Amino acid sequence: QVRLVESGGGLVQAGGSLRLSCAASGRAFLIDAMGWFRQAPAKEREFVAAISRSGDNIYYGDSVKGRFTISRDNGKNTLYLQLNSVTPEDTAVYLCAAREGLNSRYTSTHFQDYDYWGQGTQVTVSS
């Protein structure tokens, strides 16, 4: 019903910046909360950031607070993640997620609460 496609990943030097995008298609009008998670080798999936459909409710994981910024453009059905001051510990596959719902203020930090997932985009940070 909903397709999510991430883009913008790549190789970046420590201290640099990167912007990721997630484009939603299909029945995107049924989506409320969206978020970013990341998966690194030998590590569990980690919450990065989430945002409500209204844009008023935003949460960040402790490891990225002050460095990453989540935003969305509902007119373009697109979610963004701005990564600043990256470190090698940020190296991971970044996954976009969305929940099917009608609550414009709802958001979640738990991956179990999301219904749709993209394939992910690789971010690699060199020292």
Side-chain angles (χ1 to χ4, degrees), residues 56-121:
D56 295 329
N57 295 324
I58 295 174
Y59 296 97
Y60 293 100
D62 289 341
S63 64
V64 307
K65 286 179 181 176
R67 299 188 299 121
F68 293 6
T69 303
I70 190 170
S71 61
R72 65 192 293 170
D73 185 335
N74 292 332
K76 297 180 180 178
N77 293 321
T78 301
L79 177 74
Y80 303 97
L81 184 69
Q82 179 69 41
L83 292 72
N84 295 329
S85 302
V86 296
T87 75
E89 288 71 38
D90 295 318
T91 295
V93 174
Y94 283 72
L95 299 160
C96 174
R99 194 190 83 142
E100 181 175 318
L102 302 173
N103 189 336
S104 66
R105 298 185 60 81
Y106 173 87
T107 191
S108 175
T109 64
H110 305 297
F111 71 87
Q112 304 97 305
D113 292 331
Y114 291 89
D115 300 297
Y116 304 104
W117 293 85
Q119 292 297 115
T121 186

Side-chain angles (χ1 to χ4, degrees), residues 13-57:
Q13 186 174 307
S17 298
L18 207 65
R19 190 179 81 153
L20 308 182
S21 298
C22 172
S25 60
R27 291 158 58 89
F29 58 91
L30 295 176
I31 291 172
D32 52 25
M34 298 187 76
W36 291 96
F37 295 79
R38 64 188 184 185
Q39 182 73 59
K43 293 222 172 186
E44 295 183 356
R45 187 174 300 176
E46 180 185 18
F47 169 73
V48 176
I51 186 169
S52 63
R53 194 174 204 282
S54 68
D56 295 329
N57 295 324

